[in-house]
């Protein structure tokens, strides 16, 4: 996991006179939006099945909360079809539906031998916990998306009203770059789970 230090150091040089607390807040808000829109904060969650229980809550996780569900499969490799209509989840074998963020409902309902069987593996997209002082993000964010997240923070800072660093033209420029970066990250994440049976992503804008 990567700290926010690299972004903070760069933002200090780009925003002379700006308070560290203000920069840090806007950087965190940027990361929240980036994770929410792209689903790129990936985590592999292992889930034990229980008899007669077909609904499972994946939240909370140590890093934060699950917002996106990208893929579900059994530990033996049988993939569940993710559907966006609960009625479809009742048709056929190995189907799953997400009634709310971080919640999955699977079909068929585990039987009496569920405790003896291998559980599920769920690939999810996280929104990190922003109440911690030492917030960290996946290393990939720093390696692949550093500049785009930087753009998002600069957009937010330059958009602030009547501050020494206020710059509407620069804000517009960085906003466009940030939105393009989120779209790219979302596309990369989709392609990781791009087979026909795992094309649904929660939340609805997926």
């Amino acid at each position: 996991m990567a700290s926010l230090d690299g972004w903070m150091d760069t933002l200090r040089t780009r925003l002379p006179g700006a308070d560290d607390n203000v920069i840090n807040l806007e950087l965190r808000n940027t990361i929240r939006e980036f994770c929410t829109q792209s689903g790129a904060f990936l985590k592999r969650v292992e889930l034990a099945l229980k008899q007669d229980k077909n609904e499972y809550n994946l939240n909370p996780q140590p890093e934060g909360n699950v917002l996106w569900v990208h893929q579900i499969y059994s530990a033996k490799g049988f993939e569940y079809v993710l559907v966006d209509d609960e009625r479809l989840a009742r048709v056929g074998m190995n189907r799953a539906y997400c009634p709310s963020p971080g919640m999955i409902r699977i079909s068929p309902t585990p039987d009496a031998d569920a405790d003896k069987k291998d559980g599920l593996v769920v690939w999810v997209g996280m929104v990190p916990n922003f109440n911690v002082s030492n917030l960290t993000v996946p290393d990939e964010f720093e390696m692949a998306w550093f500049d785009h997240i930087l753009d998002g923070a600069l957009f937010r800072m330059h958009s602030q009203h009547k501050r020494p660093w206020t710059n509407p033209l620069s804000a517009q420029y960085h906003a466009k770059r940030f939105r393009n970066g989120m779209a790219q990250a979302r596309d990369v994440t989709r392609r990781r789970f791009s087979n026909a049976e795992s094309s649904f992503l929660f939340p609805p804008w997926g």
Side-chain angles (χ1 to χ4, degrees):
M1 300 289 282
S3 73
L4 306 188
D5 292 348
W7 286 287
M8 287 295 297
D9 289 343
T10 304
L11 288 166
R12 288 186 188 105
T13 64
R14 301 283 293 273
L15 300 162
D19 184 87
D20 265 18
N21 291 329
V22 176
I23 296 175
N24 187 270
L25 175 63
E26 295 295 27
L27 177 58
R28 286 170 178 249
N29 289 335
T30 297
I31 291 171
R32 182 197 304 274
E33 183 177 1
F34 187 87
C35 294
T36 300
Q37 296 297 327
S38 70
F41 190 145
L42 298 177
K43 182 178 181 179
R44 182 181 187 271
V45 178
E46 295 185 2
L47 191 65
L49 297 178
K50 297 181 180 180
Q51 179 182 351
D52 297 329
K53 181 177 174 63
N54 73 333
E55 190 167 284
Y56 298 85
N57 188 1
L58 303 173
N59 286 322
Q61 296 291 323
E63 302 86 350
N65 287 307
V66 173
L67 180 62
W68 297 75
V69 175
H70 294 305
Q71 188 178 55
I72 305 174
Y73 58 92
S74 72
K76 292 183 178 179
F78 298 107
E79 185 173 358
Y80 280 69
V81 178
L82 289 163
V83 297
D84 57 1
D85 186 327
E86 185 177 12
R87 292 170 296 180
L88 296 176
R90 304 190 191 107
V91 179
M93 300 291 287
N94 295 345
R95 291 180 179 264
Y97 169 70
C98 300
S100 61
M103 186 73 69
I104 61 171
R105 191 174 295 154
I106 62 172
S107 177
T109 300
D111 57 23
D113 295 326
D115 295 339
K116 302 175 184 177
K117 297 179 180 179
D118 293 326
L120 300 180
V121 174
V122 186
W123 278 100
V124 300
M126 304 285 300
V127 175
N129 179 7
F130 289 90
N131 295 323
V132 297
S133 58
N134 57 335
L135 176 65
T136 57
V137 295
D139 291 332
E140 182 181 355
F141 279 31
E142 189 171 49
M143 293 184 291
W145 309 115
F146 183 93
D147 287 339
H148 297 298
I149 291 173
L150 183 66
D151 282 318
L154 288 169
F155 151 60
R156 290 174 179 275
M157 291 295 293
H158 288 318
S159 297
Q160 292 181 0
H161 186 58
K162 292 185 178 180
R163 298 294 184 94
W165 51 85
T166 300
N167 189 330
L169 288 177
S170 180
Q172 186 178 24
Y173 167 76
H174 288 293
K176 182 177 180 180
R177 286 173 53 89
F178 178 52
R179 294 189 187 102
N180 288 341
M182 287 191 294
Q184 290 174 30
R186 181 178 174 183
D187 187 54
V188 168
T189 304
R190 277 179 177 270
R191 289 201 300 268
R192 290 182 177 180
F193 307 99
S194 61
N195 61 58
E197 293 187 343
S198 61
S199 59
F200 172 71
L201 299 173
F202 189 90
W205 58 77

